[in-house]
């Protein structure tokens, strides 16, 4: 299963984050982080939901990779700032409707609506932390 881990970290910390997988010089706990069992297409479906569009392929949630190591099964990229900003602005009362719309845009049935609700709540809280710190979010995806 693919795991996506978000870090409140600057781009010059990408190599240190890479070492979590490659050399274990660092640990996820060295940063504020959030681990999610979501793949990019599920995050793109959430982004489309937040934008109110049907086409989930309209906009990626990640910028170009800072590090791509196929041999180690990892990609590190900055999460698109607009996606983080949209998440940070989600109002608690809109969560149920957003979850229902997100479920409709997901082709995969790996997560129940309840799980997606929990993931969304965690991502909103995390995005708010990143925005308040004025820090980018880096994504480490392992496959």
């Amino acid at each position: 299963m693919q795991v996506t881990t978000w870090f409140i970290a600057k781009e010059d910390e990408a190599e240190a984050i890479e070492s979590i997988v490659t050399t274990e010089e660092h640990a996820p706990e060295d940063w504020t982080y959030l681990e999610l069992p979501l793949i990019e297409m599920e995050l793109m479906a959430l982004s489309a939901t937040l934008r109110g569009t049907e086409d989930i392929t309209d906009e990626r949630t990640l910028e170009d990779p800072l590090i791509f190591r196929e041999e180690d099964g990892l990609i590190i990229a900055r999460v698109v700032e607009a996606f983080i900003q949209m998440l940070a602005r989600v109002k608690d009362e809109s969560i149920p409707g957003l979850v229902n719309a997100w479920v409709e845009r997901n082709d995969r049935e790996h997560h129940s609506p309840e799980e997606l609700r929990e993931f969304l709540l965690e991502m909103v809280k995390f995005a708010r932390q990143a925005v308040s710190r004025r820090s980018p979010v880096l994504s480490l995806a392992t496959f």
Side-chain angles (χ1 to χ4, degrees), residues 7 31 40 48 54 57 62 71 73 88 105 127 141:
F7 297 89
W31 296 269
E40 175 65 6
E54 293 298 321
T57 62
L62 297 175
E71 66 276 10
R105 287 173 178 82

Side-chain angles (χ1 to χ4, degrees), residues 28-42:
E29 296 79 17
D30 293 346
W31 296 269
T32 300
Y33 76 100
L34 175 63
E35 192 172 274
L36 301 162
L38 298 171
I39 62 170
E40 175 65 6
M41 289 304 290
E42 292 165 322

Side-chain angles (χ1 to χ4, degrees), residues 92-133:
D92 292 343
E93 60 271 9
S94 65
I95 297 283
L98 287 172
V99 169
N100 290 338
W102 188 15
V103 168
E104 290 176 17
R105 287 173 178 82
N106 270 324
D107 290 333
R108 302 161 53 104
E109 297 183 12
H110 289 132
H111 307 291
S112 69
E114 295 79 25
E115 287 176 308
L116 292 177
R117 180 183 178 283
E118 287 303 313
F119 298 154
L120 180 57
L121 289 170
E122 290 175 22
M123 286 187 284
V124 166
K125 180 180 174 187
F126 188 85
R128 288 175 182 162
Q129 288 179 321
V131 168
S132 72
R133 294 183 192 181

